[in-house]
Amino acid sequence: MQKILRIDSNDNLIVALKDLHAGESFSWDDDNITLVTDVKAKHKFATQDIPLDGIVSMYGTPVGKATRPIVKGEAITVDNIRHYAAPVTLEDVEPYHWQAPDVSEWSTRTFKGYVRDDGRVGTASYWLVFPLVFCENRNVSKLTNALNDALGYTNNSLKKFALNLTSGSDEQIETARMFPHIEGVRCITFTSGCGGATSDCETICDVLDAYAD
């Protein structure tokens, strides 16, 4: 079984795939490394000496800085590194320009859908029920189930099977949809919204608005 893995060729860390012990030696890309400490499975060790404040990199990107000198073959722990992320700059990045793909090949194709007032198209219409605080999640879930059942949108094959058994008939029992142009009722639940800051509430409203749109 392979015991170690280097994620990116530029990393100065190697991942232990199983528990390793001080004194074990490994070779990777013509480099020989002897462990000076034990390394637990899924933890990492240094492939080179790293000075104080030296960059620790993984996945080809900086992930930390050394809080003290780390020697080659030493385990990486919360005691010898701190979190660090490289600064991000967009000064030299060219603006992204989206170019619409050529869809002329499908210009005569159609699908069963509907056209919105703004020209966009969709394939289904749903009524959405939104709670504005997480403590209403159970209530809106029960409301959604009740509406789907009452309006003929429930698609519960086990329930239909049970009804067929109790009715003594092999005929499928179907409930007619009260609103044929609606596909069903859905609730969108979430885990926040109570006691949050104004900015949090605005973000939640933006997300819910996007769902509705």
Short mmCIF file of all heavy atoms in Angstrom, two decimals, residues 3-59:
data_model
loop_
_atom_site.label_atom_id
_atom_site.label_comp_id
_atom_site.label_asym_id
_atom_site.label_seq_id
_atom_site.Cartn_x
_atom_site.Cartn_y
_atom_site.Cartn_z
N LYS A 3 2.14 4.70 1.03
CA LYS A 3 2.09 5.30 2.36
C LYS A 3 2.02 6.83 2.33
O LYS A 3 1.58 7.44 3.31
CB LYS A 3 3.32 4.87 3.17
CG LYS A 3 3.35 3.39 3.54
CD LYS A 3 4.54 3.10 4.42
CE LYS A 3 4.55 1.65 4.87
NZ LYS A 3 5.69 1.37 5.78
N ILE A 4 2.48 7.45 1.25
CA ILE A 4 2.55 8.91 1.22
C ILE A 4 2.02 9.43 -0.11
O ILE A 4 1.90 8.68 -1.09
CB ILE A 4 3.99 9.42 1.43
CG1 ILE A 4 4.90 8.93 0.29
CG2 ILE A 4 4.51 9.00 2.80
CD1 ILE A 4 6.31 9.51 0.35
N LEU A 5 1.68 10.73 -0.14
CA LEU A 5 1.16 11.35 -1.36
C LEU A 5 1.50 12.83 -1.36
O LEU A 5 1.23 13.53 -0.38
CB LEU A 5 -0.36 11.16 -1.44
CG LEU A 5 -1.04 11.86 -2.63
CD1 LEU A 5 -0.61 11.22 -3.95
CD2 LEU A 5 -2.56 11.80 -2.47
N ARG A 6 2.08 13.28 -2.46
CA ARG A 6 2.28 14.71 -2.65
C ARG A 6 1.19 15.19 -3.60
O ARG A 6 1.07 14.70 -4.72
CB ARG A 6 3.66 14.98 -3.23
CG ARG A 6 3.94 16.45 -3.47
CD ARG A 6 5.33 16.69 -4.02
NE ARG A 6 6.20 17.39 -3.10
CZ ARG A 6 7.52 17.36 -3.15
NH1 ARG A 6 8.12 16.61 -4.04
NH2 ARG A 6 8.23 18.04 -2.28
N ILE A 7 0.38 16.15 -3.16
CA ILE A 7 -0.78 16.59 -3.93
C ILE A 7 -0.35 17.35 -5.18
O ILE A 7 -0.85 17.11 -6.28
CB ILE A 7 -1.69 17.49 -3.07
CG1 ILE A 7 -2.11 16.77 -1.79
CG2 ILE A 7 -2.91 17.93 -3.87
CD1 ILE A 7 -2.96 15.56 -2.01
N ASP A 8 0.59 18.28 -5.04
CA ASP A 8 1.05 19.11 -6.15
C ASP A 8 2.57 19.12 -6.16
O ASP A 8 3.21 19.09 -5.09
CB ASP A 8 0.49 20.53 -6.01
CG ASP A 8 0.78 21.40 -7.23
OD1 ASP A 8 1.91 21.95 -7.30
OD2 ASP A 8 -0.10 21.54 -8.10
N SER A 9 3.13 19.17 -7.34
CA SER A 9 4.60 19.10 -7.44
C SER A 9 5.29 20.29 -6.78
O SER A 9 6.46 20.23 -6.43
CB SER A 9 5.02 19.03 -8.92
OG SER A 9 4.54 20.16 -9.63
N ASN A 10 4.56 21.41 -6.58
CA ASN A 10 5.14 22.59 -5.95
C ASN A 10 4.98 22.60 -4.44
O ASN A 10 5.48 23.51 -3.77
CB ASN A 10 4.50 23.86 -6.53
CG ASN A 10 4.79 24.04 -8.01
OD1 ASN A 10 5.93 23.85 -8.44
ND2 ASN A 10 3.79 24.39 -8.78
N ASP A 11 4.28 21.62 -3.89
CA ASP A 11 4.06 21.58 -2.44
C ASP A 11 5.35 21.26 -1.69
O ASP A 11 6.18 20.48 -2.16
CB ASP A 11 3.01 20.52 -2.09
CG ASP A 11 1.63 20.85 -2.62
OD1 ASP A 11 1.41 22.01 -3.01
OD2 ASP A 11 0.77 19.96 -2.64
N ASN A 12 5.48 21.86 -0.50
CA ASN A 12 6.58 21.44 0.38
C ASN A 12 6.04 20.61 1.54
O ASN A 12 6.65 20.51 2.59
CB ASN A 12 7.39 22.64 0.88
CG ASN A 12 6.54 23.66 1.63
OD1 ASN A 12 5.35 23.45 1.86
ND2 ASN A 12 7.16 24.77 2.01
N LEU A 13 4.86 20.03 1.32
CA LEU A 13 4.26 19.11 2.28
C LEU A 13 3.92 17.80 1.57
O LEU A 13 3.60 17.79 0.39
CB LEU A 13 2.97 19.69 2.88
CG LEU A 13 3.05 21.00 3.65
CD1 LEU A 13 1.68 21.36 4.19
CD2 LEU A 13 4.05 20.90 4.78
N ILE A 14 3.97 16.71 2.31
CA ILE A 14 3.54 15.41 1.81
C ILE A 14 2.54 14.85 2.82
O ILE A 14 2.69 15.01 4.04
CB ILE A 14 4.74 14.46 1.62
CG1 ILE A 14 5.46 14.80 0.31
CG2 ILE A 14 4.30 13.00 1.61
CD1 ILE A 14 6.64 13.89 0.00
N VAL A 15 1.50 14.18 2.31
CA VAL A 15 0.45 13.64 3.14
C VAL A 15 0.78 12.19 3.52
O VAL A 15 1.18 11.40 2.67
CB VAL A 15 -0.90 13.67 2.40
CG1 VAL A 15 -2.02 13.16 3.31
CG2 VAL A 15 -1.21 15.06 1.90
N ALA A 16 0.61 11.88 4.80
CA ALA A 16 0.76 10.49 5.25
C ALA A 16 -0.56 9.77 5.05
O ALA A 16 -1.60 10.20 5.55
CB ALA A 16 1.15 10.47 6.72
N LEU A 17 -0.56 8.68 4.31
CA LEU A 17 -1.77 7.92 4.05
C LEU A 17 -2.03 6.88 5.13
O LEU A 17 -3.11 6.28 5.16
CB LEU A 17 -1.68 7.25 2.67
CG LEU A 17 -1.50 8.21 1.49
CD1 LEU A 17 -1.45 7.41 0.18
CD2 LEU A 17 -2.61 9.25 1.45
N LYS A 18 -1.06 6.68 6.01
CA LYS A 18 -1.24 5.79 7.16
C LYS A 18 -0.28 6.29 8.25
O LYS A 18 0.57 7.15 8.00
CB LYS A 18 -0.96 4.34 6.80
CG LYS A 18 0.44 4.07 6.29
CD LYS A 18 0.64 2.59 5.94
CE LYS A 18 0.39 1.70 7.12
NZ LYS A 18 0.63 0.26 6.81
N ASP A 19 -0.43 5.79 9.44
CA ASP A 19 0.45 6.22 10.52
C ASP A 19 1.91 5.91 10.17
O ASP A 19 2.24 4.78 9.79
CB ASP A 19 0.08 5.51 11.83
CG ASP A 19 -1.25 6.01 12.39
OD1 ASP A 19 -1.71 7.09 11.96
OD2 ASP A 19 -1.81 5.32 13.26
N LEU A 20 2.76 6.93 10.29
CA LEU A 20 4.19 6.77 10.01
C LEU A 20 4.98 7.04 11.28
O LEU A 20 4.50 7.70 12.20
CB LEU A 20 4.62 7.74 8.91
CG LEU A 20 3.82 7.69 7.60
CD1 LEU A 20 4.31 8.75 6.63
CD2 LEU A 20 3.91 6.30 6.97
N HIS A 21 6.22 6.54 11.32
CA HIS A 21 7.02 6.64 12.53
C HIS A 21 8.38 7.27 12.25
O HIS A 21 8.92 7.15 11.14
CB HIS A 21 7.21 5.25 13.15
CG HIS A 21 5.90 4.55 13.44
ND1 HIS A 21 5.09 4.90 14.49
CD2 HIS A 21 5.27 3.53 12.79
CE1 HIS A 21 4.02 4.13 14.50
NE2 HIS A 21 4.10 3.29 13.48
N ALA A 22 8.87 7.95 13.24
CA ALA A 22 10.19 8.58 13.12
C ALA A 22 11.23 7.53 12.72
O ALA A 22 11.21 6.40 13.23
CB ALA A 22 10.58 9.23 14.45
N GLY A 23 12.11 7.91 11.80
CA GLY A 23 13.14 7.00 11.32
C GLY A 23 12.81 6.36 9.99
O GLY A 23 13.71 5.87 9.29
N GLU A 24 11.51 6.34 9.61
CA GLU A 24 11.14 5.80 8.31
C GLU A 24 11.64 6.73 7.20
O GLU A 24 11.62 7.96 7.35
CB GLU A 24 9.62 5.64 8.20
CG GLU A 24 9.04 4.53 9.04
CD GLU A 24 7.57 4.27 8.72
OE1 GLU A 24 7.30 3.66 7.66
OE2 GLU A 24 6.70 4.67 9.52
N SER A 25 12.06 6.15 6.10
CA SER A 25 12.59 6.92 4.98
C SER A 25 11.72 6.70 3.75
O SER A 25 11.21 5.60 3.50
CB SER A 25 14.04 6.52 4.68
OG SER A 25 14.88 6.84 5.77
N PHE A 26 11.59 7.78 2.96
CA PHE A 26 10.78 7.73 1.74
C PHE A 26 11.48 8.48 0.62
O PHE A 26 12.29 9.39 0.88
CB PHE A 26 9.40 8.36 1.99
CG PHE A 26 8.62 7.70 3.08
CD1 PHE A 26 8.64 8.22 4.37
CD2 PHE A 26 7.87 6.56 2.84
CE1 PHE A 26 7.93 7.62 5.39
CE2 PHE A 26 7.15 5.95 3.84
CZ PHE A 26 7.18 6.47 5.13
N SER A 27 11.16 8.10 -0.60
CA SER A 27 11.69 8.80 -1.78
C SER A 27 10.53 9.31 -2.61
O SER A 27 9.55 8.58 -2.82
CB SER A 27 12.56 7.86 -2.63
OG SER A 27 13.70 7.46 -1.92
N TRP A 28 10.66 10.57 -3.06
CA TRP A 28 9.63 11.15 -3.93
C TRP A 28 10.32 12.12 -4.87
O TRP A 28 10.99 13.06 -4.45
CB TRP A 28 8.57 11.88 -3.10
CG TRP A 28 7.35 12.21 -3.90
CD1 TRP A 28 7.20 13.24 -4.79
CD2 TRP A 28 6.11 11.50 -3.90
NE1 TRP A 28 5.96 13.22 -5.35
CE2 TRP A 28 5.26 12.17 -4.83
CE3 TRP A 28 5.63 10.40 -3.24
CZ2 TRP A 28 3.96 11.74 -5.09
CZ3 TRP A 28 4.34 9.96 -3.48
CH2 TRP A 28 3.51 10.63 -4.41
N ASP A 29 10.18 11.88 -6.16
CA ASP A 29 10.80 12.73 -7.18
C ASP A 29 12.29 12.89 -6.92
O ASP A 29 12.83 14.01 -6.88
CB ASP A 29 10.13 14.11 -7.21
CG ASP A 29 8.71 14.05 -7.74
OD1 ASP A 29 8.37 13.07 -8.43
OD2 ASP A 29 7.93 14.99 -7.47
N ASP A 30 12.98 11.77 -6.72
CA ASP A 30 14.43 11.75 -6.51
C ASP A 30 14.87 12.44 -5.22
O ASP A 30 16.05 12.77 -5.06
CB ASP A 30 15.15 12.39 -7.71
CG ASP A 30 14.88 11.63 -9.01
OD1 ASP A 30 14.74 10.40 -8.95
OD2 ASP A 30 14.80 12.29 -10.06
N ASP A 31 13.93 12.71 -4.32
CA ASP A 31 14.27 13.34 -3.05
C ASP A 31 14.07 12.32 -1.93
O ASP A 31 13.01 11.69 -1.85
CB ASP A 31 13.39 14.57 -2.81
CG ASP A 31 13.81 15.33 -1.57
OD1 ASP A 31 14.96 15.16 -1.13
OD2 ASP A 31 12.96 16.09 -1.05
N ASN A 32 15.08 12.14 -1.09
CA ASN A 32 14.99 11.21 0.03
C ASN A 32 14.65 11.97 1.31
O ASN A 32 15.27 13.00 1.62
CB ASN A 32 16.31 10.47 0.21
CG ASN A 32 16.63 9.59 -0.99
OD1 ASN A 32 15.75 8.89 -1.51
ND2 ASN A 32 17.87 9.61 -1.43
N ILE A 33 13.64 11.46 2.02
CA ILE A 33 13.18 12.13 3.24
C ILE A 33 13.12 11.10 4.36
O ILE A 33 12.52 10.04 4.22
CB ILE A 33 11.78 12.74 3.05
CG1 ILE A 33 11.76 13.69 1.84
CG2 ILE A 33 11.32 13.45 4.31
CD1 ILE A 33 10.38 14.15 1.44
N THR A 34 13.76 11.42 5.47
CA THR A 34 13.69 10.58 6.66
C THR A 34 12.90 11.32 7.73
O THR A 34 13.22 12.46 8.07
CB THR A 34 15.09 10.25 7.19
OG1 THR A 34 15.82 9.54 6.18
CG2 THR A 34 15.01 9.39 8.44
N LEU A 35 11.88 10.68 8.25
CA LEU A 35 11.03 11.33 9.24
C LEU A 35 11.79 11.51 10.56
O LEU A 35 12.47 10.59 11.03
CB LEU A 35 9.78 10.49 9.49
CG LEU A 35 8.83 10.30 8.30
CD1 LEU A 35 7.59 9.51 8.73
CD2 LEU A 35 8.41 11.64 7.71
N VAL A 36 11.63 12.69 11.13
CA VAL A 36 12.25 12.96 12.43
C VAL A 36 11.21 12.93 13.55
O VAL A 36 11.56 13.02 14.73
CB VAL A 36 12.97 14.33 12.43
CG1 VAL A 36 14.09 14.32 11.41
CG2 VAL A 36 11.99 15.46 12.15
N THR A 37 9.93 12.82 13.18
CA THR A 37 8.84 12.70 14.16
C THR A 37 7.84 11.68 13.62
O THR A 37 7.84 11.35 12.44
CB THR A 37 8.11 14.04 14.37
OG1 THR A 37 7.51 14.45 13.15
CG2 THR A 37 9.06 15.12 14.87
N ASP A 38 6.98 11.20 14.49
CA ASP A 38 5.86 10.39 14.03
C ASP A 38 4.88 11.29 13.27
O ASP A 38 4.76 12.49 13.56
CB ASP A 38 5.13 9.76 15.22
CG ASP A 38 5.98 8.71 15.94
OD1 ASP A 38 6.95 8.22 15.33
OD2 ASP A 38 5.65 8.41 17.10
N VAL A 39 4.17 10.72 12.31
CA VAL A 39 3.17 11.46 11.54
C VAL A 39 1.91 10.61 11.48
O VAL A 39 1.94 9.48 10.98
CB VAL A 39 3.66 11.78 10.11
CG1 VAL A 39 2.62 12.64 9.39
CG2 VAL A 39 5.02 12.47 10.14
N LYS A 40 0.81 11.14 11.98
CA LYS A 40 -0.44 10.40 11.96
C LYS A 40 -1.03 10.35 10.56
O LYS A 40 -0.77 11.23 9.73
CB LYS A 40 -1.45 11.05 12.92
CG LYS A 40 -1.05 10.98 14.38
CD LYS A 40 -2.12 11.62 15.25
CE LYS A 40 -1.75 11.54 16.72
NZ LYS A 40 -2.78 12.18 17.59
N ALA A 41 -1.82 9.33 10.30
CA ALA A 41 -2.49 9.21 9.00
C ALA A 41 -3.31 10.45 8.70
O ALA A 41 -3.97 11.01 9.58
CB ALA A 41 -3.39 7.97 8.99
N LYS A 42 -3.24 10.91 7.45
CA LYS A 42 -3.92 12.10 6.93
C LYS A 42 -3.28 13.41 7.38
O LYS A 42 -3.75 14.47 7.00
CB LYS A 42 -5.41 12.09 7.30
CG LYS A 42 -6.18 10.88 6.76
CD LYS A 42 -7.65 10.97 7.09
CE LYS A 42 -8.38 9.74 6.58
NZ LYS A 42 -9.83 9.77 6.90
N HIS A 43 -2.21 13.32 8.17
CA HIS A 43 -1.46 14.52 8.53
C HIS A 43 -0.31 14.68 7.54
O HIS A 43 -0.11 13.85 6.66
CB HIS A 43 -0.97 14.42 9.97
CG HIS A 43 -2.08 14.56 10.98
ND1 HIS A 43 -2.06 15.53 11.97
CD2 HIS A 43 -3.24 13.87 11.14
CE1 HIS A 43 -3.16 15.42 12.71
NE2 HIS A 43 -3.89 14.41 12.23
N LYS A 44 0.43 15.77 7.68
CA LYS A 44 1.46 16.10 6.69
C LYS A 44 2.82 16.26 7.36
O LYS A 44 2.91 16.50 8.56
CB LYS A 44 1.12 17.42 5.96
CG LYS A 44 -0.13 17.33 5.07
CD LYS A 44 -1.39 17.54 5.86
CE LYS A 44 -2.63 17.32 4.99
NZ LYS A 44 -3.86 17.32 5.82
N PHE A 45 3.86 16.16 6.53
CA PHE A 45 5.21 16.44 7.02
C PHE A 45 5.97 17.25 5.97
O PHE A 45 5.62 17.27 4.78
CB PHE A 45 5.97 15.14 7.36
CG PHE A 45 6.13 14.18 6.22
CD1 PHE A 45 7.22 14.28 5.35
CD2 PHE A 45 5.21 13.16 6.01
CE1 PHE A 45 7.38 13.38 4.30
CE2 PHE A 45 5.36 12.26 4.97
CZ PHE A 45 6.44 12.37 4.11
N ALA A 46 6.98 17.96 6.44
CA ALA A 46 7.73 18.88 5.58
C ALA A 46 8.70 18.12 4.69
O ALA A 46 9.34 17.16 5.12
CB ALA A 46 8.48 19.88 6.44
N THR A 47 8.80 18.56 3.44
CA THR A 47 9.74 17.95 2.50
C THR A 47 11.07 18.69 2.45
O THR A 47 11.98 18.29 1.73
CB THR A 47 9.14 17.92 1.09
OG1 THR A 47 8.93 19.27 0.64
CG2 THR A 47 7.81 17.18 1.07
N GLN A 48 11.17 19.80 3.20
CA GLN A 48 12.38 20.61 3.23
C GLN A 48 12.40 21.39 4.53
O GLN A 48 11.39 21.50 5.23
CB GLN A 48 12.42 21.57 2.04
CG GLN A 48 11.25 22.55 2.04
CD GLN A 48 11.14 23.35 0.76
OE1 GLN A 48 11.18 22.78 -0.33
NE2 GLN A 48 11.00 24.66 0.88
N ASP A 49 13.55 21.97 4.86
CA ASP A 49 13.62 22.84 6.02
C ASP A 49 12.82 24.11 5.73
O ASP A 49 12.96 24.73 4.66
CB ASP A 49 15.07 23.20 6.34
CG ASP A 49 15.86 21.99 6.84
OD1 ASP A 49 15.22 21.04 7.32
OD2 ASP A 49 17.10 22.02 6.74
N ILE A 50 11.99 24.50 6.68
CA ILE A 50 11.16 25.70 6.52
C ILE A 50 11.52 26.66 7.64
O ILE A 50 11.37 26.32 8.82
CB ILE A 50 9.66 25.35 6.57
CG1 ILE A 50 9.31 24.31 5.49
CG2 ILE A 50 8.81 26.60 6.39
CD1 ILE A 50 7.89 23.79 5.57
N PRO A 51 12.00 27.87 7.32
CA PRO A 51 12.41 28.82 8.36
C PRO A 51 11.20 29.46 9.05
O PRO A 51 10.05 29.30 8.61
CB PRO A 51 13.21 29.87 7.58
CG PRO A 51 12.59 29.85 6.22
CD PRO A 51 12.19 28.41 5.97
N LEU A 52 11.46 30.19 10.12
CA LEU A 52 10.41 30.95 10.79
C LEU A 52 9.73 31.89 9.78
O LEU A 52 10.42 32.57 9.00
CB LEU A 52 11.02 31.77 11.93
CG LEU A 52 10.08 32.76 12.63
CD1 LEU A 52 8.97 32.02 13.36
CD2 LEU A 52 10.87 33.66 13.59
N ASP A 53 8.40 31.87 9.76
CA ASP A 53 7.59 32.66 8.81
C ASP A 53 7.71 32.17 7.37
O ASP A 53 7.24 32.85 6.45
CB ASP A 53 7.96 34.16 8.87
CG ASP A 53 7.41 34.83 10.12
OD1 ASP A 53 6.37 34.36 10.63
OD2 ASP A 53 8.02 35.82 10.58
N GLY A 54 8.31 30.99 7.18
CA GLY A 54 8.38 30.43 5.85
C GLY A 54 7.01 29.93 5.39
O GLY A 54 6.16 29.53 6.20
N ILE A 55 6.79 29.95 4.08
CA ILE A 55 5.51 29.55 3.52
C ILE A 55 5.36 28.04 3.53
O ILE A 55 6.27 27.30 3.14
CB ILE A 55 5.35 30.07 2.08
CG1 ILE A 55 5.38 31.60 2.06
CG2 ILE A 55 4.06 29.56 1.45
CD1 ILE A 55 4.21 32.25 2.75
N VAL A 56 4.20 27.58 3.96
CA VAL A 56 3.83 26.17 3.89
C VAL A 56 2.79 26.03 2.80
O VAL A 56 1.75 26.69 2.84
CB VAL A 56 3.27 25.67 5.24
CG1 VAL A 56 2.83 24.22 5.13
CG2 VAL A 56 4.31 25.83 6.34
N SER A 57 3.07 25.21 1.80
CA SER A 57 2.18 25.15 0.64
C SER A 57 1.63 23.75 0.43
O SER A 57 2.29 22.75 0.68
CB SER A 57 2.91 25.61 -0.63
OG SER A 57 3.99 24.75 -0.92
N MET A 58 0.36 23.73 -0.04
CA MET A 58 -0.31 22.48 -0.37
C MET A 58 -1.33 22.79 -1.45
O MET A 58 -1.85 23.91 -1.53
CB MET A 58 -0.99 21.88 0.86
CG MET A 58 -1.42 20.43 0.68
SD MET A 58 -1.89 19.70 2.25
CE MET A 58 -2.46 18.12 1.69
N TYR A 59 -1.64 21.82 -2.29
CA TYR A 59 -2.51 22.02 -3.45
C TYR A 59 -1.94 23.09 -4.38
O TYR A 59 -2.66 23.73 -5.13
CB TYR A 59 -3.92 22.43 -3.02
CG TYR A 59 -4.57 21.52 -2.02
CD1 TYR A 59 -4.65 21.89 -0.69
CD2 TYR A 59 -5.07 20.27 -2.40
CE1 TYR A 59 -5.22 21.05 0.25
CE2 TYR A 59 -5.65 19.43 -1.47
CZ TYR A 59 -5.72 19.83 -0.14
OH TYR A 59 -6.29 18.99 0.78
#
